[in-house]
Amino acid sequence: MMAELIALLDGTEVGRVRSDARGRLTFVYENAWRNAEEAHPLSLSMPLAAEEHGPDTVQAFLWGLLPDNEQVLERWAKRFQVSARNVFALISNVGEDCAGAIQFVTPDRLQALKTGKDDKIEWLDKPEIANRLRVLREVDAAWRLPRDTGQFSLAGGQPKTALVLKDNKWGIPSGRIPTTHILKPLTGDFDGHADNEHNCLQLARELGLPAAETKVMRFEQEIAIVVERYDRQVSGNDIIRVHQEDICQAMGIPPTKKYQNEGGPTPADVVELLRTYSTDREADLETFVSALVFNWLIGGLMLTPKTIHCFWPAVLSCVSPPSTTSPAFFPMTTSISARSNSP
């Protein structure tokens, strides 16, 4: 029996992920999307020139959307009654708010997503946010509470939650409404964690690197670093998702091979990717090298292809951790060809 997920970009059906009776995954583009003037690939690893893409590439892309935290995956598996190693089943339950503009929707949810029938925000006051941060600080995997409807998925291993900020109010969005900010509590393992991450980002901005906006905020007795999502843009009353993928996804490499010493991509591989796809190669390469140097100077030892991102339709960004304990995010201003059909 074939199961499928519909891939939406800004509400447009761009393709379907299909899982056959053996769990073999494929991704098939909608012909209408392939022929659309504004079309761009879901991933550089899945060019529009081919209508269908096979399991290795699809698995790598989907796993790249999920947390690098086994505790979170196990918690989700228990809640949704699926296997923690079944990427299709996991994305089926948390894929409506992922990194970038992509939403993966089950067929029974498609109409609600298209019409906005289930669009809502559960507003939270400061004590409620403080309680969530406290629970998250005590239980790393508690990214959402059991009663929550709106789900989200982000890569990375740090304890975090994601909320929407609208009209100076915080809330948990559902349906088409995306999250806009990531909140990461103090873990208790390292003093000054939030301040360190915030200060590294501020230093990067002062040195001319385009870094994400952050604040260290207090909610009652709980302190968190609040990161403004760079894959979200506010346009009037609307919040727009901006599509992205990391370098591992762009190269069809699973996140388990993100480290260079374990066979993952090297800086030279990233440089080659920029030279191949960028429309502003010199600026892109300069920013990438600057990010590498900055990470080295501040002792950031965890810059990996999982933290370097391609933005569609025309922006590439570099996301760089300043240290092993407090990662920070540096979106680079870069362009790539939006309609690349290269294999």
Side-chain angles (χ1 to χ4, degrees):
M1 182 177 179
M2 184 77 70
E4 66 178 17
L5 291 171
I6 298 96
L8 301 178
L9 284 175
D10 196 25
T12 300
E13 293 183 44
V14 301
R16 294 172 185 252
V17 178
R18 291 173 176 162
S19 176
D20 65 19
R22 297 177 298 167
R24 181 179 181 274
L25 301 183
T26 56
F27 179 77
V28 182
Y29 281 111
E30 296 284 350
N31 281 325
W33 175 251
R34 292 177 70 211
N35 296 322
E37 183 178 352
E38 69 277 15
H40 57 78
L42 181 65
S43 167
L44 287 175
S45 64
M46 294 184 275
L48 292 169
E51 180 182 6
E52 182 172 326
H53 296 274
D56 290 345
T57 302
V58 177
Q59 289 262 4
F61 184 84
L62 294 181
W63 278 117
L65 298 173
L66 292 171
D68 304 313
N69 186 318
E70 292 296 330
Q71 291 180 323
V72 176
L73 297 180
E74 290 291 347
R75 187 182 178 96
W76 287 356
K78 183 177 180 180
R79 174 173 180 178
F80 302 121
Q81 299 183 333
V82 299
S83 168
R85 304 313 306 160
N86 186 333
V87 67
F88 182 89
L90 291 169
I91 290 291
S92 296
N93 287 283
V94 300
E96 291 185 12
D97 190 53
C98 297
I102 192 66
Q103 291 181 282
F104 287 104
V105 185
T106 56
D108 62 301
R109 290 275 301 147
L110 180 60
Q111 194 60 24
L113 262 290
K114 283 195 165 185
T115 62
K117 172 179 172 290
D118 292 341
D119 289 3
K120 66 177 181 179
I121 299 175
E122 178 191 346
W123 298 111
L124 303 173
D125 58 25
K126 282 193 173 182
E128 289 172 317
I129 297 174
N131 179 62
R132 288 171 179 271
L133 291 172
R134 179 187 59 77
V135 172
L136 187 56
R137 181 166 48 81
E138 295 172 353
V139 183
D140 287 0
W143 291 20
R144 281 283 190 258
L145 297 182
R147 63 179 177 80
D148 291 338
T149 301
Q151 303 295 323
F152 75 97
S153 182
L154 286 169
Q158 282 186 300
K160 62 176 73 73
T161 191
L163 302 175
V164 62
L165 178 63
K166 195 169 186 179
D167 300 326
N168 293 317
K169 296 188 297 182
W170 294 98
I172 299 173
S174 299
R176 297 176 302 178
I177 306 172
T179 56
T180 60
H181 290 72
I182 301 166
L183 284 71
K184 293 187 277 188
L186 301 183
T187 63
D189 295 330
F190 301 96
D191 291 336
H193 169 89
D195 287 338
N196 181 41
E197 181 170 348
H198 173 68
N199 290 336
C200 286
L201 283 163
Q202 187 175 24
L203 176 61
R205 288 192 293 270
E206 291 178 357
L207 291 174
L209 283 169
E213 296 292 333
T214 63
K215 294 180 181 179
V216 176
M217 298 185 66
R218 179 182 291 273
F219 300 90
E220 301 288 312
Q221 299 303 311
E222 298 295 327
I223 298 174
I225 180 169
V226 178
V227 184
E228 184 176 335
R229 294 190 63 158
Y230 52 82
D231 57 347
R232 305 288 186 256
Q233 294 179 355
V234 177
S235 178
N237 291 324
D238 297 326
I239 303 167
I240 308 300
R241 290 178 165 93
V242 180
H243 191 44
Q244 66 156 32
E245 64 173 338
D246 63 50
I247 294 298
C248 281
Q249 290 173 308
M251 299 179 69
I253 297 171
T256 51
K257 293 185 177 180
K258 63 184 177 181
Y259 295 115
Q260 180 179 342
N261 65 348
E262 296 179 352
T266 67
D269 294 325
V270 178
V271 167
E272 183 61 28
L273 188 80
L274 294 177
R275 285 176 173 164
T276 302
Y277 294 106
S278 173
T279 58
D280 193 6
R281 295 178 181 85
E282 295 304 318
D284 298 346
L285 291 170
E286 181 180 352
T287 308
F288 173 62
V289 172
S290 296
L292 286 175
V293 172
F294 181 81
N295 271 263
W296 181 79
L297 289 173
I298 63 172
L301 305 177
M302 294 293 288
L303 180 63
T304 76
K306 285 291 295 173
T307 54
I308 305 170
H309 291 207
C310 303
F311 273 54
W312 298 97
V315 179
L316 187 88
S317 81
C318 177
V319 186
S320 321
S323 75
T324 57
T325 60
S326 59
F329 301 89
F330 306 109
M332 298 192 323
T333 303
T334 299
S335 299
I336 59 181
S337 171
R339 288 187 61 89
S340 170
N341 287 333
S342 302

